[in-house]
Amino acid sequence: DTEVTQTPKHLVMGMTNKKSLKCEQHMGHRAMYWYKQKAKKPPELMFVYSYEKLSINESVPSRFSPECPNSSLLNLHLHALQPEDSALYLCASSPEGNEQYFGPGTRLTVT
Amino acid sequence: GESVGLHLPTLSVQEGDNSIINCAYSNSASDYFIWYKQESGKGPQFIIDIRSNMDKRQGQRVTVLLNKTVKHLSLQIAATQPGDSAVYFCAEGDENRDDKIIFGKGTRLHILP
């Protein structure tokens, strides 16, 4: 298995909802990432996990809560989001920290 | 066709011509550079990378050139095809910034029939 998978592909949620995004890779990569991408902009780093431990938090609001249950899975828990949080959320993994492989993303709309 | 400047938002190239996409970086400590291709509705796809101890690296139909003196990176695509239509991002990393790469603004490549 040589890909990063993300579910769901699309998500619409209200500002009071709680939802989770999921990411999975079976390449044995030690690092996993969450990025946020707005239209016509580059991906912006949110969180990095290295060996299942949170190593980087780019000052992300607490309404986004990452979780790494094991070396293959990465979740992003969402609660009380704002409309401006609507974006494409990308997961990536990397064997050594530089060359990152991205999933297809989850298109999130907050209403 | 060639891009005429850095950070060009859109580059239009005739099918079959060569494309050159440019990128500038500012961190002198950056020692690793990557080009990604992002098609509409998809995640970024790794194309090619280069380390700072190299000036040039070639892949299938793509070549990356690195000029550390002026902190400039370029991606050359030979014989551009319709499937090359996408947004291309350069990204940089350095060993002092473990696990983190910084993306450039991106260039949209538009293929003319």
Side-chain angles (χ1 to χ4, degrees), chain A residues 4-8 20-24 32 34 67 69 73-77 89 91 105-106:
Chain A
V4 176
T5 59
Q6 291 187 243
T7 56
S20 296
L21 308 184
K22 297 186 183 302
C23 174
E24 194 164 358
M32 295 186 76
W34 280 116
E67 178 197 19
L73 294 174
L74 187 67
N75 298 323
L76 186 63
H77 303 297
Y89 287 83
C91 175
T106 294

PDB file of all heavy atoms in Angstrom, chain A residues 4-8 20-24 32 34 67 69 73-77 89 91 105-106:
ATOM      1  N   VAL A   4      -1.715   7.547   0.874  1.00  0.00           N
ATOM      2  CA  VAL A   4      -2.339   8.093   2.073  1.00  0.00           C
ATOM      3  C   VAL A   4      -3.837   8.235   1.769  1.00  0.00           C
ATOM      4  O   VAL A   4      -4.198   8.813   0.736  1.00  0.00           O
ATOM      5  CB  VAL A   4      -1.738   9.469   2.416  1.00  0.00           C
ATOM      6  CG1 VAL A   4      -2.448  10.078   3.616  1.00  0.00           C
ATOM      7  CG2 VAL A   4      -0.244   9.336   2.680  1.00  0.00           C
ATOM      8  N   THR A   5      -4.665   7.694   2.633  1.00  0.00           N
ATOM      9  CA  THR A   5      -6.107   7.791   2.404  1.00  0.00           C
ATOM     10  C   THR A   5      -6.733   8.704   3.446  1.00  0.00           C
ATOM     11  O   THR A   5      -6.245   8.782   4.591  1.00  0.00           O
ATOM     12  CB  THR A   5      -6.781   6.409   2.462  1.00  0.00           C
ATOM     13  OG1 THR A   5      -6.538   5.818   3.745  1.00  0.00           O
ATOM     14  CG2 THR A   5      -6.230   5.493   1.382  1.00  0.00           C
ATOM     15  N   GLN A   6      -7.783   9.407   3.044  1.00  0.00           N
ATOM     16  CA  GLN A   6      -8.492  10.314   3.948  1.00  0.00           C
ATOM     17  C   GLN A   6      -9.985  10.108   3.809  1.00  0.00           C
ATOM     18  O   GLN A   6     -10.492   9.925   2.699  1.00  0.00           O
ATOM     19  CB  GLN A   6      -8.163  11.774   3.610  1.00  0.00           C
ATOM     20  CG  GLN A   6      -6.742  12.172   3.930  1.00  0.00           C
ATOM     21  CD  GLN A   6      -6.524  13.655   3.737  1.00  0.00           C
ATOM     22  OE1 GLN A   6      -5.737  14.076   2.896  1.00  0.00           O
ATOM     23  NE2 GLN A   6      -7.210  14.462   4.530  1.00  0.00           N
ATOM     24  N   THR A   7     -10.667  10.155   4.934  1.00  0.00           N
ATOM     25  CA  THR A   7     -12.125  10.105   4.944  1.00  0.00           C
ATOM     26  C   THR A   7     -12.662  11.134   5.921  1.00  0.00           C
ATOM     27  O   THR A   7     -12.014  11.430   6.944  1.00  0.00           O
ATOM     28  CB  THR A   7     -12.633   8.706   5.357  1.00  0.00           C
ATOM     29  OG1 THR A   7     -12.078   8.357   6.629  1.00  0.00           O
ATOM     30  CG2 THR A   7     -12.270   7.661   4.315  1.00  0.00           C
ATOM     31  N   PRO A   8     -13.838  11.711   5.642  1.00  0.00           N
ATOM     32  CA  PRO A   8     -14.577  11.583   4.382  1.00  0.00           C
ATOM     33  C   PRO A   8     -13.964  12.452   3.291  1.00  0.00           C
ATOM     34  O   PRO A   8     -13.060  13.244   3.560  1.00  0.00           O
ATOM     35  CB  PRO A   8     -15.962  12.084   4.773  1.00  0.00           C
ATOM     36  CG  PRO A   8     -15.687  13.123   5.822  1.00  0.00           C
ATOM     37  CD  PRO A   8     -14.496  12.612   6.600  1.00  0.00           C
ATOM     38  N   SER A  20     -15.041  14.393  13.024  1.00  0.00           N
ATOM     39  CA  SER A  20     -13.635  14.006  12.953  1.00  0.00           C
ATOM     40  C   SER A  20     -13.228  13.696  11.521  1.00  0.00           C
ATOM     41  O   SER A  20     -14.008  13.107  10.764  1.00  0.00           O
ATOM     42  CB  SER A  20     -13.381  12.770  13.818  1.00  0.00           C
ATOM     43  OG  SER A  20     -13.615  13.053  15.178  1.00  0.00           O
ATOM     44  N   LEU A  21     -12.011  14.086  11.190  1.00  0.00           N
ATOM     45  CA  LEU A  21     -11.405  13.705   9.920  1.00  0.00           C
ATOM     46  C   LEU A  21     -10.413  12.583  10.204  1.00  0.00           C
ATOM     47  O   LEU A  21      -9.737  12.589  11.244  1.00  0.00           O
ATOM     48  CB  LEU A  21     -10.667  14.888   9.290  1.00  0.00           C
ATOM     49  CG  LEU A  21     -11.439  16.200   9.144  1.00  0.00           C
ATOM     50  CD1 LEU A  21     -10.582  17.231   8.410  1.00  0.00           C
ATOM     51  CD2 LEU A  21     -12.771  15.991   8.468  1.00  0.00           C
ATOM     52  N   LYS A  22     -10.324  11.651   9.253  1.00  0.00           N
ATOM     53  CA  LYS A  22      -9.438  10.508   9.457  1.00  0.00           C
ATOM     54  C   LYS A  22      -8.426  10.395   8.330  1.00  0.00           C
ATOM     55  O   LYS A  22      -8.705  10.704   7.175  1.00  0.00           O
ATOM     56  CB  LYS A  22     -10.256   9.221   9.558  1.00  0.00           C
ATOM     57  CG  LYS A  22     -11.193   9.197  10.749  1.00  0.00           C
ATOM     58  CD  LYS A  22     -11.884   7.874  10.903  1.00  0.00           C
ATOM     59  CE  LYS A  22     -12.862   7.912  12.071  1.00  0.00           C
ATOM     60  NZ  LYS A  22     -12.217   8.251  13.361  1.00  0.00           N
ATOM     61  N   CYS A  23      -7.257   9.914   8.699  1.00  0.00           N
ATOM     62  CA  CYS A  23      -6.163   9.731   7.739  1.00  0.00           C
ATOM     63  C   CYS A  23      -5.469   8.418   8.060  1.00  0.00           C
ATOM     64  O   CYS A  23      -5.294   8.065   9.235  1.00  0.00           O
ATOM     65  CB  CYS A  23      -5.180  10.898   7.867  1.00  0.00           C
ATOM     66  SG  CYS A  23      -3.687  10.725   6.872  1.00  0.00           S
ATOM     67  N   GLU A  24      -5.054   7.706   7.038  1.00  0.00           N
ATOM     68  CA  GLU A  24      -4.405   6.415   7.237  1.00  0.00           C
ATOM     69  C   GLU A  24      -3.287   6.218   6.219  1.00  0.00           C
ATOM     70  O   GLU A  24      -3.432   6.578   5.050  1.00  0.00           O
ATOM     71  CB  GLU A  24      -5.454   5.296   7.099  1.00  0.00           C
ATOM     72  CG  GLU A  24      -5.023   3.950   7.588  1.00  0.00           C
ATOM     73  CD  GLU A  24      -6.205   3.001   7.779  1.00  0.00           C
ATOM     74  OE1 GLU A  24      -7.368   3.405   7.575  1.00  0.00           O
ATOM     75  OE2 GLU A  24      -5.944   1.844   8.137  1.00  0.00           O
ATOM     76  N   MET A  32       3.549  12.142  10.462  1.00  0.00           N
ATOM     77  CA  MET A  32       2.258  12.413   9.834  1.00  0.00           C
ATOM     78  C   MET A  32       1.865  13.846  10.105  1.00  0.00           C
ATOM     79  O   MET A  32       2.203  14.411  11.152  1.00  0.00           O
ATOM     80  CB  MET A  32       1.187  11.434  10.338  1.00  0.00           C
ATOM     81  CG  MET A  32       1.485   9.988   9.936  1.00  0.00           C
ATOM     82  SD  MET A  32       0.179   8.830  10.361  1.00  0.00           S
ATOM     83  CE  MET A  32      -1.053   9.186   9.099  1.00  0.00           C
ATOM     84  N   TRP A  34      -1.029  17.310   9.429  1.00  0.00           N
ATOM     85  CA  TRP A  34      -2.273  17.930   8.991  1.00  0.00           C
ATOM     86  C   TRP A  34      -1.955  19.305   8.426  1.00  0.00           C
ATOM     87  O   TRP A  34      -1.221  20.087   9.045  1.00  0.00           O
ATOM     88  CB  TRP A  34      -3.266  18.096  10.139  1.00  0.00           C
ATOM     89  CG  TRP A  34      -4.027  16.861  10.494  1.00  0.00           C
ATOM     90  CD1 TRP A  34      -3.977  16.165  11.674  1.00  0.00           C
ATOM     91  CD2 TRP A  34      -4.987  16.168   9.679  1.00  0.00           C
ATOM     92  NE1 TRP A  34      -4.811  15.084  11.637  1.00  0.00           N
ATOM     93  CE2 TRP A  34      -5.457  15.061  10.432  1.00  0.00           C
ATOM     94  CE3 TRP A  34      -5.498  16.348   8.398  1.00  0.00           C
ATOM     95  CZ2 TRP A  34      -6.406  14.159   9.939  1.00  0.00           C
ATOM     96  CZ3 TRP A  34      -6.434  15.453   7.911  1.00  0.00           C
ATOM     97  CH2 TRP A  34      -6.884  14.378   8.678  1.00  0.00           C
ATOM     98  N   GLU A  67      -5.141  13.805  16.923  1.00  0.00           N
ATOM     99  CA  GLU A  67      -4.939  12.576  17.691  1.00  0.00           C
ATOM    100  C   GLU A  67      -4.240  11.562  16.802  1.00  0.00           C
ATOM    101  O   GLU A  67      -4.587  11.427  15.629  1.00  0.00           O
ATOM    102  CB  GLU A  67      -6.295  11.999  18.154  1.00  0.00           C
ATOM    103  CG  GLU A  67      -6.184  10.700  18.924  1.00  0.00           C
ATOM    104  CD  GLU A  67      -7.516   9.963  19.011  1.00  0.00           C
ATOM    105  OE1 GLU A  67      -8.420  10.262  18.196  1.00  0.00           O
ATOM    106  OE2 GLU A  67      -7.627   9.075  19.869  1.00  0.00           O
ATOM    107  N   PRO A  69      -3.726   7.701  17.132  1.00  0.00           N
ATOM    108  CA  PRO A  69      -3.959   6.477  17.910  1.00  0.00           C
ATOM    109  C   PRO A  69      -2.868   5.421  17.735  1.00  0.00           C
ATOM    110  O   PRO A  69      -2.594   4.668  18.659  1.00  0.00           O
ATOM    111  CB  PRO A  69      -5.295   5.950  17.358  1.00  0.00           C
ATOM    112  CG  PRO A  69      -5.909   7.089  16.619  1.00  0.00           C
ATOM    113  CD  PRO A  69      -4.784   7.946  16.149  1.00  0.00           C
ATOM    114  N   LEU A  73      -2.470   5.745  11.830  1.00  0.00           N
ATOM    115  CA  LEU A  73      -3.699   6.540  11.843  1.00  0.00           C
ATOM    116  C   LEU A  73      -3.468   7.928  12.410  1.00  0.00           C
ATOM    117  O   LEU A  73      -2.704   8.114  13.365  1.00  0.00           O
ATOM    118  CB  LEU A  73      -4.765   5.837  12.685  1.00  0.00           C
ATOM    119  CG  LEU A  73      -5.295   4.508  12.167  1.00  0.00           C
ATOM    120  CD1 LEU A  73      -6.237   3.883  13.186  1.00  0.00           C
ATOM    121  CD2 LEU A  73      -6.005   4.686  10.833  1.00  0.00           C
ATOM    122  N   LEU A  74      -4.177   8.887  11.823  1.00  0.00           N
ATOM    123  CA  LEU A  74      -4.145  10.259  12.318  1.00  0.00           C
ATOM    124  C   LEU A  74      -5.552  10.818  12.207  1.00  0.00           C
ATOM    125  O   LEU A  74      -6.183  10.694  11.160  1.00  0.00           O
ATOM    126  CB  LEU A  74      -3.175  11.105  11.485  1.00  0.00           C
ATOM    127  CG  LEU A  74      -2.902  12.524  11.959  1.00  0.00           C
ATOM    128  CD1 LEU A  74      -2.152  12.517  13.284  1.00  0.00           C
ATOM    129  CD2 LEU A  74      -2.097  13.288  10.909  1.00  0.00           C
ATOM    130  N   ASN A  75      -6.031  11.385  13.300  1.00  0.00           N
ATOM    131  CA  ASN A  75      -7.365  11.979  13.304  1.00  0.00           C
ATOM    132  C   ASN A  75      -7.265  13.478  13.556  1.00  0.00           C
ATOM    133  O   ASN A  75      -6.299  13.968  14.156  1.00  0.00           O
ATOM    134  CB  ASN A  75      -8.232  11.359  14.413  1.00  0.00           C
ATOM    135  CG  ASN A  75      -8.445   9.871  14.228  1.00  0.00           C
ATOM    136  OD1 ASN A  75      -8.594   9.382  13.116  1.00  0.00           O
ATOM    137  ND2 ASN A  75      -8.446   9.128  15.337  1.00  0.00           N
ATOM    138  N   LEU A  76      -8.282  14.196  13.105  1.00  0.00           N
ATOM    139  CA  LEU A  76      -8.405  15.610  13.444  1.00  0.00           C
ATOM    140  C   LEU A  76      -9.834  15.820  13.917  1.00  0.00           C
ATOM    141  O   LEU A  76     -10.777  15.704  13.136  1.00  0.00           O
ATOM    142  CB  LEU A  76      -8.097  16.496  12.235  1.00  0.00           C
ATOM    143  CG  LEU A  76      -8.064  18.000  12.512  1.00  0.00           C
ATOM    144  CD1 LEU A  76      -6.948  18.353  13.503  1.00  0.00           C
ATOM    145  CD2 LEU A  76      -7.874  18.792  11.214  1.00  0.00           C
ATOM    146  N   HIS A  77      -9.975  16.093  15.213  1.00  0.00           N
ATOM    147  CA  HIS A  77     -11.293  16.285  15.807  1.00  0.00           C
ATOM    148  C   HIS A  77     -11.668  17.765  15.718  1.00  0.00           C
ATOM    149  O   HIS A  77     -10.853  18.646  16.025  1.00  0.00           O
ATOM    150  CB  HIS A  77     -11.292  15.817  17.263  1.00  0.00           C
ATOM    151  CG  HIS A  77     -10.888  14.386  17.414  1.00  0.00           C
ATOM    152  ND1 HIS A  77     -11.611  13.354  16.868  1.00  0.00           N
ATOM    153  CD2 HIS A  77      -9.822  13.823  18.033  1.00  0.00           C
ATOM    154  CE1 HIS A  77     -11.024  12.198  17.155  1.00  0.00           C
ATOM    155  NE2 HIS A  77      -9.929  12.460  17.861  1.00  0.00           N
ATOM    156  N   TYR A  89      -8.692  20.052   3.890  1.00  0.00           N
ATOM    157  CA  TYR A  89      -7.781  19.590   4.929  1.00  0.00           C
ATOM    158  C   TYR A  89      -7.009  18.388   4.395  1.00  0.00           C
ATOM    159  O   TYR A  89      -7.580  17.365   4.017  1.00  0.00           O
ATOM    160  CB  TYR A  89      -8.538  19.264   6.217  1.00  0.00           C
ATOM    161  CG  TYR A  89      -8.985  20.542   6.890  1.00  0.00           C
ATOM    162  CD1 TYR A  89     -10.160  21.185   6.501  1.00  0.00           C
ATOM    163  CD2 TYR A  89      -8.198  21.151   7.864  1.00  0.00           C
ATOM    164  CE1 TYR A  89     -10.543  22.396   7.073  1.00  0.00           C
ATOM    165  CE2 TYR A  89      -8.572  22.352   8.445  1.00  0.00           C
ATOM    166  CZ  TYR A  89      -9.742  22.969   8.032  1.00  0.00           C
ATOM    167  OH  TYR A  89     -10.111  24.174   8.600  1.00  0.00           O
ATOM    168  N   CYS A  91      -3.910  15.569   4.704  1.00  0.00           N
ATOM    169  CA  CYS A  91      -3.038  14.760   5.549  1.00  0.00           C
ATOM    170  C   CYS A  91      -1.829  14.354   4.709  1.00  0.00           C
ATOM    171  O   CYS A  91      -1.943  14.150   3.488  1.00  0.00           O
ATOM    172  CB  CYS A  91      -3.791  13.525   6.030  1.00  0.00           C
ATOM    173  SG  CYS A  91      -2.796  12.351   6.974  1.00  0.00           S
ATOM    174  N   GLY A 105      -7.291  14.681   0.533  1.00  0.00           N
ATOM    175  CA  GLY A 105      -7.919  15.776   1.256  1.00  0.00           C
ATOM    176  C   GLY A 105      -9.377  15.545   1.588  1.00  0.00           C
ATOM    177  O   GLY A 105     -10.059  14.712   0.976  1.00  0.00           O
ATOM    178  N   THR A 106      -9.842  16.285   2.582  1.00  0.00           N
ATOM    179  CA  THR A 106     -11.261  16.356   2.932  1.00  0.00           C
ATOM    180  C   THR A 106     -11.706  17.789   2.712  1.00  0.00           C
ATOM    181  O   THR A 106     -11.125  18.712   3.284  1.00  0.00           O
ATOM    182  CB  THR A 106     -11.510  15.979   4.402  1.00  0.00           C
ATOM    183  OG1 THR A 106     -11.202  14.608   4.608  1.00  0.00           O
ATOM    184  CG2 THR A 106     -12.969  16.235   4.781  1.00  0.00           C
TER     185      THR A 106
END
